[in-house]
Amino acid sequence: MITIMLADDHAVTRMGIKSIIELNSEIRVIYEASNGKEILKILEKEVLPDIIIIDIHMPLMNGYESVKVLRKIYPTIKIIVFSFITEQDAIINMISQGVSGYITKSSDPSILTEAILSVYVNGFYLG
């Protein structure tokens, strides 16, 4: 079972992502957060997920800040960025910080599952 944490400040987006990826019986969303501070609070107390799917634009602690902290404290957790941002600088920035994948929110929904499986098996995905 591949375990996932979703981090996005929009509850409807989290619900949609969860619905799509849990169509695959090998993937389960075990935690949800609306910002980076919630991510850290949850991870302090719980079993770590295999992968975090994280948005860049979130209140209190955005995706850029969250990834920096997560790479230091939880280097074994793989991170996939799922964002509206398509600029090359943002993508390169996140990859240089150590994320395992980057998907734009305009991608086909099937890409989510493909990316999760690729990151879990191969350690990396870039659509």
Side-chain angles (χ1 to χ4, degrees):
M1 178 71 58
I2 302 169
T3 57
I4 304 293
M5 172 183 248
L6 297 177
D8 191 295
D9 59 322
H10 296 99
V12 171
T13 301
R14 289 194 312 269
M15 183 184 298
I17 295 168
K18 183 176 181 177
S19 296
I20 291 166
I21 62 179
E22 285 190 343
L23 290 172
N24 184 317
S25 62
E26 296 176 27
I27 305 170
R28 165 125 346 142
V29 174
I30 58 172
Y31 311 120
E32 295 183 35
S34 62
N35 61 66
K37 289 188 179 204
E38 282 185 22
I39 293 170
L40 297 174
K41 186 175 181 180
I42 292 168
L43 295 180
E44 285 176 3
K45 302 175 185 176
E46 304 293 341
V47 174
L48 300 181
D50 297 310
I51 299 170
I52 297 174
I53 298 175
I54 190 170
D55 189 15
I56 292 176
H57 291 296
M58 298 183 294
L60 302 179
M61 186 176 192
N62 67 34
Y64 294 116
E65 296 165 324
S66 299
V67 167
K68 284 179 187 175
V69 173
L70 289 166
R71 288 296 88 220
K72 289 178 185 173
I73 300 173
Y74 303 104
T76 60
I77 299 175
K78 305 286 191 232
I79 301 172
I80 298 173
V81 175
F82 188 56
S83 177
F84 280 116
I85 299 174
T86 59
E87 287 83 29
Q88 188 173 5
D89 289 345
I91 297 168
I92 291 169
N93 179 351
M94 290 304 246
I95 291 171
S96 69
Q97 288 188 47
V99 302
S100 299
Y102 195 105
I103 306 167
T104 62
K105 288 185 177 179
S106 61
S107 298
D108 185 278
S110 66
I111 297 296
L112 282 166
T113 303
E114 180 182 322
I116 291 166
L117 295 172
S118 178
V119 166
Y120 187 76
V121 173
N122 303 317
F124 192 79
Y125 177 86
L126 184 61

